[in-house]
């Protein structure tokens, strides 16, 4: 194979890889918008709250969260 053929092949491979990267970046953008937990259930919403508190650096005990939820529901 001549050097020019190798260069053309490398350019074609590079273009294909760039297209694949763009496709994967689009998939990541779509998936990152999806909620981590099923928010249609109470358990899923509780898990979302706990995860958000953990991300904020607030470590919490599940019993404390349950107590807060029960107090809120009873109010």
């Amino acid at each position: 194979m001549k050097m020019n053929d190798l260069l053309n092949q490398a350019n074609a491979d590079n273009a294909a890889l760039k297209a694949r990267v763009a496709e994967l970046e689009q998939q990541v953008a779509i998936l990152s918008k999806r909620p981590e937990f099923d928010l249609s259930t109470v358990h899923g919403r509780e898990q979302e709250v706990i995860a958000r508190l953990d991300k904020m650096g607030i470590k919490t005990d599940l019993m404390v969260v349950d107590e807060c939820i029960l107090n809120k529901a009873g109010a």
Side-chain angles (χ1 to χ4, degrees):
M1 223 178 205
K2 292 184 179 181
M3 186 63 91
N4 195 27
D5 294 335
L6 290 172
L7 185 57
N8 288 338
Q9 181 64 38
N11 285 337
D13 291 346
N14 191 27
L17 288 173
K18 284 183 178 181
R20 180 69 177 142
V21 166
E23 179 184 329
L24 291 172
E25 285 175 342
Q26 184 180 17
Q27 289 178 3
V28 167
I30 291 169
L31 291 173
S32 66
K33 292 179 183 175
R34 294 171 54 189
E36 185 176 353
F37 301 101
D38 180 11
L39 301 179
S40 66
T41 65
V42 172
H43 180 69
R45 290 189 296 271
E46 287 175 348
Q47 293 302 315
E48 179 67 27
V49 169
I50 291 168
R52 190 176 315 138
L53 291 173
D54 284 344
K55 287 177 187 174
M56 292 169 47
I58 303 171
K59 298 295 179 189
T60 183
D61 188 307
L62 187 56
M63 295 296 287
V64 173
V65 173
D66 285 341
E67 183 179 332
C68 291
I69 292 170
L70 291 173
N71 288 340
K72 185 100 174 172

